[in-house]
Amino acid sequence: MSKADLKLLIIQPSHYRSKTDRTIFKTRRRQMVPLALPYLAALTPREWTVTLLDEQLEDINFEVPVDVVALSAWTLHSPRAYDIAAEFRRRGVKVIMGGPHVFFYAEEAAEHCDAVGVGEAEPIWRTMLEDAAADRLQKIYRATPLKELNDLPPPRYDLLDLKKFGPFRTFAVQSSRGCPFVCDFCSERFYLGGRFRWRPVDQMVAELERIKDKGSHFFFGESNFGGKKSRAMELMEGLVPLRIRWSTLWSSNLCLDTNFLDLARRSGVMHVNIGIESIDEEMLQGMKKGWNKASRYGEMFDNLRKRDISYSLNFIFGYDNEHPDVYEATLSFLEAHKVPAAYFNILTPTKGTALFERMKKAGRIIDPEDIDRWPGQVCHIWPKNCTPGQMEQRIQGMYRKFYSMRSMVHRLPFPRTRSDMSSWILNMTERRMAFSSTGNNDFDIY
């Protein structure tokens, strides 16, 4: 390749609608402005001309003159990513691939691409592009996790058509990677670099200052915004003068810290997602989430409500020792506490976790290689107290009951504030998913 005119196309693949329906999922407009595409562009040496493409929003022109195609994929996107790779490689274009999927399926992905990058992009991205230009690509590049997150380049949002993300767009940003906790079922800490690290507050604030006029909202897409509470509070102090609105994920124990919540409110937080997983203390111990205190959930919710902070809760069902009444009990609990939004998940043993190893050894995973390949709430295990199909029906039933109009009217306040309006919009979105023909809990519209 001539270094004077190197062309790179970075694609976020879409996914197929189901295992039997190979229709590509499309949407006319997203609410969330992605981070991966513009950030990879920012890491790219200046001698490359970069084009970004989100396949959910636009079609791929396989005849486009390009030297290298880079694919960033979750496991959900992998079947489509492999097909995209095959089309470009058939035309003589080099294809490289990275993302969470590659972290756990490096050898599989390498069979479909010219090279794959495992782990964080910063240590290997430039080398992969240099090797592609010099026609010396290796099959697998493995990154050494970054020790710190200093001096990360600002994402190249200028390469995105922001009109495709609507007037009330939300920018995905990242102030930390990894997680200080080790949950039994969670694999995020592996592909996010292992140990918990955070960006310097002044650099994070400067990045937000540069883009705050481009969108109305920001989402801190990280495992645990409050993984180090003192640092999170320092960042929130830095957010106060920006006068932005933002959302994130943090652990339940922070909802009992009134000083933390007061500062979060002052800094502009609008919505927080919390993984409480179960209303049963015994179940929480089995998940290794002992810091979740079911006896204090009511206090947590009151603390959030008093500060007009909208919130959503994550639950997991399918553990062997769960009580058969837990499904109805959870719904009753949520209605009694007027919880604004909730997500009901089937226990899924993802690669890398202790749960996966236990389930696989016991022969209880239906097809280990099929996990997370297709959208929707799919039961990938043989549950102890029901069939996989019955488990899927139970979860679908919970969604339909929780997002029924009766439940919504009972749980949600009249939309007087932005937080209230956020909860109503979220509920209407989930209601459409819950009552769709497939019943998939598919968040890709964001």
Side-chain angles (χ1 to χ4, degrees):
M1 300 178 196
S2 170
K3 286 194 174 182
D5 190 26
L6 295 169
K7 293 183 176 63
L8 171 66
L9 173 60
I10 307 177
I11 300 175
Q12 171 64 66
S14 185
H15 60 82
Y16 294 119
R17 289 190 174 274
S18 73
K19 195 171 186 177
T20 56
D21 180 0
R22 293 305 178 98
T23 303
I24 302 170
F25 177 83
K26 292 284 189 179
T27 185
R28 288 185 299 175
R29 180 173 288 178
R30 273 190 194 263
Q31 181 178 332
M32 187 81 71
V33 180
L35 177 60
L37 294 183
Y39 185 66
L40 286 174
L43 293 175
T44 302
R46 290 299 177 179
E47 61 264 25
W48 291 81
T49 299
V50 184
T51 303
L52 306 181
L53 190 148
D54 183 336
E55 195 188 17
Q56 288 185 28
L57 295 172
E58 54 188 311
D59 295 332
I60 298 173
N61 176 9
F62 289 98
E63 301 298 334
V64 65
V66 63
D67 299 301
V68 176
V69 168
L71 302 169
S72 177
W74 295 77
T75 298
L76 172 65
H77 308 124
S78 59
R80 176 58 185 163
Y82 294 160
D83 288 347
I84 294 171
E87 282 295 318
F88 277 111
R89 295 180 80 196
R90 189 167 63 85
R91 291 165 169 79
V93 178
K94 289 183 172 61
V95 177
I96 61 179
M97 185 174 174
H101 174 70
V102 173
F103 189 91
F104 296 109
Y105 295 91
E107 288 73 18
E108 174 194 289
E111 294 177 5
H112 298 271
C113 306
D114 295 285
V116 298
V118 181
E120 294 176 298
E122 290 88 353
I124 56 177
W125 179 250
R126 179 180 289 268
T127 301
M128 293 179 74
L129 292 177
E130 289 175 351
D131 287 356
D135 200 24
R136 59 174 184 241
L137 276 172
Q138 305 170 37
K139 267 297 181 181
I140 299 179
Y141 294 76
R142 297 186 184 275
T144 301
L146 297 177
K147 292 182 179 180
E148 54 188 24
L149 303 181
N150 294 345
D151 302 316
L152 302 186
R156 292 286 308 277
Y157 294 115
D158 59 296
L159 297 178
L160 290 174
D161 181 0
L162 294 179
K163 293 179 182 177
K164 294 181 178 179
F165 299 92
F168 304 108
R169 64 185 74 101
T170 296
F171 278 82
V173 295
Q174 189 177 67
S175 72
S176 69
R177 293 183 194 167
C179 184
F181 300 123
V182 182
C183 299
D184 186 58
F185 52 82
C186 182
S187 62
E188 278 191 14
R189 67 186 185 278
F190 299 111
Y191 60 76
L192 290 177
R195 66 185 183 86
F196 185 69
R197 297 146 300 154
W198 53 90
R199 297 179 62 185
V201 168
D202 60 338
Q203 294 177 19
M204 187 71 243
V205 171
E207 180 175 310
L208 294 172
E209 181 72 48
R210 280 191 295 268
I211 61 174
K212 70 175 186 177
D213 294 331
K214 297 180 184 292
S216 62
H217 194 88
F218 296 89
F219 173 68
F220 287 91
E222 41 211 81
S223 296
N224 193 334
F225 179 85
K228 184 175 177 61
K229 189 177 73 170
S230 60
R231 180 265 172 191
M233 295 186 75
E234 182 185 356
L235 175 57
M236 291 190 293
E237 288 283 6
L239 298 182
V240 172
L242 298 183
R243 302 178 65 84
I244 62 173
R245 301 292 282 172
W246 57 277
S247 301
T248 193
L249 304 85
W250 67 47
S251 54
S252 63
N253 59 301
L254 294 174
C255 298
L256 298 170
D257 187 326
T258 56
N259 290 331
F260 183 92
L261 294 180
D262 287 341
L263 179 54
R265 173 60 180 164
R266 274 201 305 122
S267 68
V269 70
M270 187 164 69
H271 183 92
V272 61
N273 178 257
I274 309 161
I276 69 169
E277 320 308 356
S278 177
I279 60 173
D280 187 315
E281 294 277 10
E282 183 179 345
M283 293 294 301
L284 292 170
Q285 293 298 326
M287 296 177 189
K288 296 185 178 179
K289 294 206 69 163
W291 60 88
N292 279 6
K293 305 298 182 184
S295 61
R296 301 189 70 181
Y297 284 167
E299 181 183 349
M300 286 168 39
F301 305 153
D302 286 342
N303 285 341
L304 293 166
R305 191 174 294 111
K306 288 175 183 176
R307 292 162 179 82
D308 192 35
I309 300 174
S310 173
Y311 63 95
S312 55
L313 307 178
N314 297 329
F315 290 88
I316 297 177
F317 299 93
Y319 273 91
D320 289 352
N321 57 340
E322 69 182 14
H323 194 278
D325 295 333
V326 69
Y327 305 93
E328 287 300 326
T330 299
L331 289 172
S332 297
F333 169 87
L334 296 175
E335 291 217 3
H337 287 281
K338 298 185 184 297
V339 170
Y343 304 116
F344 311 112
N345 304 286
I346 298 173
L347 180 66
T348 301
T350 52
K351 274 197 171 184
T353 63
L355 175 67
F356 178 88
E357 296 304 325
R358 290 199 312 272
M359 286 281 189
K360 186 177 181 181
K361 184 176 181 180
R364 293 185 57 190
I365 302 178
I366 297 172
D367 182 354
E369 300 307 309
D370 206 40
I371 293 175
D372 288 339
R373 302 273 180 172
W374 314 103
Q377 287 287 3
V378 181
C379 184
H380 293 285
I381 64 173
W382 296 104
K384 182 177 180 180
N385 301 311
C386 65
T387 68
Q390 288 171 334
M391 176 61 69
E392 292 171 3
Q393 290 173 3
R394 288 176 181 178
I395 297 302
Q396 189 176 102
M398 292 186 75
Y399 269 103
R400 293 188 173 184
K401 289 180 180 178
F402 186 75
Y403 290 106
S404 67
M405 287 305 301
R406 184 205 63 79
S407 173
M408 288 165 57
V409 169
H410 174 75
R411 291 183 290 103
L412 303 179
F414 185 83
R416 295 185 179 87
T417 67
R418 292 186 66 173
S419 177
D420 293 341
M421 183 62 71
S422 172
S423 295
W424 273 99
I425 292 172
L426 182 56
N427 272 252
M428 293 305 295
T429 300
E430 287 302 305
R431 177 177 168 80
R432 287 195 297 273
M433 293 181 190
F435 289 89
S436 67
S437 59
T438 59
N440 286 341
N441 178 25
D442 181 359
F443 302 101
D444 266 2
I445 60 169
Y446 293 103

